[in-house]
Amino acid sequence: MAETLSSTPKVWQHRNRNQQLLSWFLWLIGTAIFMYCWQIVSESTTWFFVWDAPRIAADIGSRMIPPRWSYIGDLLEPLWDTLNIATIGTMMAIVMAVPVAFLAARNTTPSARFVRPIALLIIVSSRSINSLIWALLLVSIIGPGVVAGIVAISFRSIGFISKLLYEAIEEIDKNQVEAITATGATGLQTLVFGIFPQILPAFAGISVFRWDINIRESTVLGLVGAGGIGLQLNASLNVLAWPQVTLILILILLAVIFSEWISAKVRHAII
Amino acid sequence: MSIEATSPNSGVSGKQSAALPESWSRPPFIKNHLLRWGLLLGVVLYLYLSIGSLEVNWTRIYEGLDRGAKFIFGFMNPNFAGRWNDISEGIIESLVMTVTSTVIGIAISIPIGFGAASNLAPLPIYLFCRGIIALSRSFQEIIVAILFVAIFGFGPLAGVLTLSFATIGFLSKLLAEDIESIDKSQAEAVKATGSPWWQWINYGVQPQIMPRLIGLSLYRLDINFRESAVVGLVGAGGIGATLNTAFDRYEYDTAAAILILIIGIVMLSEYISGYIRAGVQ
């Protein structure tokens, strides 16, 4: 052993020399990239405004309290719209996402070479584009309103639901499917009696989870004109009516807590 | 509530003594009859009310079909060249914001994550850190971006701060959950050598959470890029402003080019992060 030959005992180290050099090198590169990026951000920042920020923040804060409670009458209908955007959007997404998931799962896809890549492309396109951008697109196509919001939410949710669902389908127990097939069941019957029961809990969980996320997302869709409480938020911000903004933020917070509570309750009941 | 996964053989293995049933029907997903029919009735009632309250302007949608076709046509022939300067500037700014905000977010999330782990932190620190996480998680990025733009002025700094703030809620929460589920015996073994606190963290806890931390950071890098495309809508820098302008001018070919770039970058980063994660674990 080399250690016994050297006069001074070797101290234990977490990494050997090469690993240590590599690790330092990676840190160096990472730090350099970060500093470079920070420099770019810094160049396009007006630092005068940033140094002034605490005063501005205090100013806005003082304007925001107390919330204008009387405004709540105008907010109930947008809140109902927000709930509808999230719920109907999720339902539409489920209808479209289930077939996509079955086409994308390795064990149920009709053709792994041709159909599966298309399904995966649908999933990744839907997932990469935020619901606000979908809303922007749909508002410009079908006009402002709740419908654009519903369609935006459903387009964004297809990818999410399909991805989680096809992963669940790929993990099913083959024996159950084989047992159903052995009875002479047709393809459809195998699907209904062999595969559906196995993914049903996962499916319900995923749907409720996405509904919960959609409630959050639908609260801001109004910023680009797609209906819901975001419209009021945008209008209040445009006229700098900070007490109304506070009230809207409180309502959004309550809606988020409510949806999270329901989703936790349902998922708890399923699992 | 009694919602259970269906067990296919429960009906068969029951009582064999009586005459065997002639037909079989699937056990329902929700066993309680009252709850099942109640839920169904509730859903139908809700759908009736909500669809009734929708105001659909069919003529406007019909007119929109034309523009929809134009957009799909734009997707087939994306126009990268027309506004390439704006697009490349926006994309680079988005990428820069993504990197900066992810690094800052991770740097702040790690101490908060440790503070929010109930097996490491004393109660006051635990509650404080959990409070920060709850605050960060409860508001949409875009709302935070609006406030930050109002406070710090237009530009990418507001976006960077927004995304960093959002990263804290995400990363600290998942990190804290991972720290709470570490293997105690390893940490105890390091403590038994008489190591001080920071060595205990460094050699007993950190190696156990490192793979997950790297995985989560890469995932968050992905999310931050996607979100950086959105915060631009309210003036916080990035590609969002360019995209918004393209839609406002009905330049669907340019918009399609930007969307294709976003999808491409997300796919690429997902591929790379999958590769790195496979190497780390």
Side-chain angles (χ1 to χ4, degrees):
Chain A
M1 287 270 182
E3 287 100 308
T4 51
L5 293 178
S6 61
S7 52
T8 52
K10 196 166 193 283
V11 176
W12 177 82
Q13 280 181 319
H14 194 170
R15 299 183 177 88
N16 66 29
R17 194 189 55 190
N18 284 350
Q19 280 174 334
Q20 205 138 28
L21 280 176
L22 184 71
S23 138
W24 280 115
F25 183 67
L26 289 179
W27 272 105
L28 183 72
I29 300 255
T31 315
I33 293 176
F34 172 70
M35 291 316 285
Y36 176 71
C37 290
W38 175 253
Q39 196 199 346
I40 294 180
V41 171
S42 169
E43 269 169 14
S44 42
T45 302
T46 318
W47 285 101
F48 171 74
F49 288 142
V50 178
W51 303 134
D52 203 31
R55 198 182 59 80
I56 302 284
D59 185 42
I60 292 178
S62 70
R63 282 161 201 259
M64 281 178 92
I65 34 180
R68 201 180 137 214
W69 298 107
S70 58
Y71 187 52
I72 201 157
D74 294 342
L75 292 177
L76 292 179
E77 211 194 321
L79 205 59
W80 168 248
D81 280 344
T82 303
L83 179 71
N84 290 342
I85 292 174
T87 314
I88 301 179
T90 313
M91 285 177 177
M92 275 173 61
I94 290 169
V95 172
M96 293 185 276
V98 171
V100 175
F102 275 98
L103 296 180
R106 271 200 195 84
N107 46 357
T108 54
T109 182
S111 150
R113 190 164 299 163
F114 298 109
V115 181
R116 188 164 185 268
I118 296 176
L120 290 181
L121 186 71
I122 294 177
I123 291 175
V124 84
S125 319
S126 153
R127 267 160 41 83
S128 319
I129 300 176
N130 194 294
S131 47
L132 260 175
I133 296 181
W134 278 117
L136 205 63
L137 170 67
L138 289 157
V139 164
S140 122
I141 290 177
I142 61 176
V146 177
V147 178
I150 292 176
V151 180
I153 284 287
S154 68
F155 278 7
R156 171 64 181 84
S157 308
I158 290 175
F160 181 91
I161 298 177
S162 297
K163 184 173 197 285
L164 294 177
L165 198 59
Y166 95 72
E167 283 168 0
I169 296 173
E170 283 181 350
E171 281 167 12
I172 57 170
D173 178 11
K174 271 183 204 155
N175 295 336
Q176 291 186 35
V177 181
E178 208 176 300
I180 303 284
T181 324
T183 63
T186 60
L188 187 69
Q189 282 174 330
T190 315
L191 206 64
V192 173
F193 294 99
I195 299 176
F196 272 177
Q198 294 195 50
I199 58 167
L200 213 51
F203 171 72
I206 294 165
S207 307
V208 174
F209 185 34
R210 186 65 220 184
W211 175 77
D212 173 20
I213 299 174
N214 282 344
I215 289 271
R216 282 161 198 261
E217 303 215 323
S218 60
T219 54
V220 294
L221 288 182
L223 292 173
V224 294
I229 200 165
L231 279 175
Q232 260 63 26
L233 181 63
N234 201 20
S236 303
L237 280 168
N238 283 342
V239 296
L240 299 176
W242 291 106
Q244 295 181 12
V245 173
T246 319
L247 183 64
I248 294 171
L249 292 185
I250 292 173
L251 277 186
I252 290 180
L253 196 62
L254 288 178
V256 167
I257 293 172
F258 168 74
S259 71
E260 202 156 89
W261 178 72
I262 290 205
S263 125
K265 256 292 204 263
V266 171
R267 274 185 289 168
H268 186 74
I270 294 166
I271 303 164
Chain B
M1 278 197 260
S2 66
I3 305 174
E4 276 176 22
T6 52
S7 52
N9 53 358
S10 60
V12 181
S13 64
K15 282 169 186 145
Q16 298 276 327
S17 57
L20 286 171
E22 291 286 308
S23 64
W24 173 87
S25 68
R26 257 191 320 166
F29 185 52
I30 301 170
K31 284 215 175 118
N32 186 342
H33 290 270
L34 216 60
L35 182 70
R36 183 156 31 115
W37 292 109
L39 273 179
L40 195 66
L41 191 73
V43 168
V44 169
L45 194 70
Y46 168 77
L47 276 181
Y48 175 74
L49 283 177
S50 60
I51 293 177
S53 75
L54 280 185
E55 285 167 15
V56 186
N57 186 347
W58 287 109
T59 53
R60 179 69 181 79
I61 291 177
Y62 182 72
E63 284 166 18
L65 289 180
D66 193 31
R67 272 189 224 120
K70 248 170 141 183
F71 175 73
I72 291 170
F73 183 73
F75 232 94
M76 301 293 160
N77 310 282
N79 179 5
F80 289 95
R83 303 199 177 275
W84 177 245
N85 281 339
D86 292 341
I87 297 177
S88 63
E89 236 172 66
I91 289 277
I92 288 173
E93 194 168 72
S94 267
L95 286 172
V96 163
M97 281 164 57
T98 308
V99 172
T100 320
S101 62
T102 310
V103 172
I104 296 177
I106 294 170
I108 304 175
S109 300
I110 291 173
I112 294 184
F114 275 94
S118 57
N119 53 348
L120 291 185
L123 193 64
I125 297 180
Y126 172 78
L127 291 178
F128 177 70
C129 291
R130 285 282 166 178
I132 294 179
I133 292 175
L135 189 71
S136 155
R137 277 168 52 79
S138 45
F139 282 111
Q140 275 278 311
E141 275 93 342
I142 200 87
I143 294 178
V144 179
I146 290 171
L147 290 177
F148 279 175
V149 166
I151 293 174
F152 294 100
F154 288 96
L157 185 73
V160 167
L161 292 175
T162 305
L163 296 177
S164 309
F165 184 66
T167 305
I168 294 171
F170 174 87
L171 206 62
S172 308
K173 179 163 192 279
L174 295 173
L175 192 64
E177 275 163 17
D178 201 41
I179 294 173
E180 281 170 358
S181 63
I182 57 165
D183 180 7
K184 271 183 204 154
S185 46
Q186 286 185 39
E188 209 175 299
V190 174
K191 208 167 200 175
T193 63
S195 58
W197 188 81
W198 69 270
Q199 278 187 348
W200 174 55
I201 296 290
N202 196 4
Y203 292 99
V205 179
Q206 187 236 6
Q208 294 193 51
I209 59 168
M210 212 52 198
R212 185 138 167 87
L213 179 62
I214 291 175
L216 288 175
S217 305
L218 290 170
Y219 183 41
R220 188 64 217 188
L221 194 71
D222 227 43
I223 300 176
N224 277 349
F225 178 71
R226 275 181 255 170
E227 296 292 334
S228 77
V230 175
V231 293
L233 297 180
V234 294
I239 189 71
T242 322
L243 192 61
N244 199 6
T245 318
F247 278 125
D248 280 348
R249 292 181 182 156
Y250 298 112
E251 288 176 353
Y252 291 119
D253 45 357
T254 307
I258 297 173
L259 292 182
I260 289 173
L261 276 177
I262 294 177
I263 295 173
I265 292 175
V266 169
M267 277 175 84
L268 189 73
S269 81
E270 240 169 42
Y271 180 76
I272 294 174
S273 68
Y275 188 76
I276 296 177
R277 259 180 285 185
V280 169
Q281 276 154 7

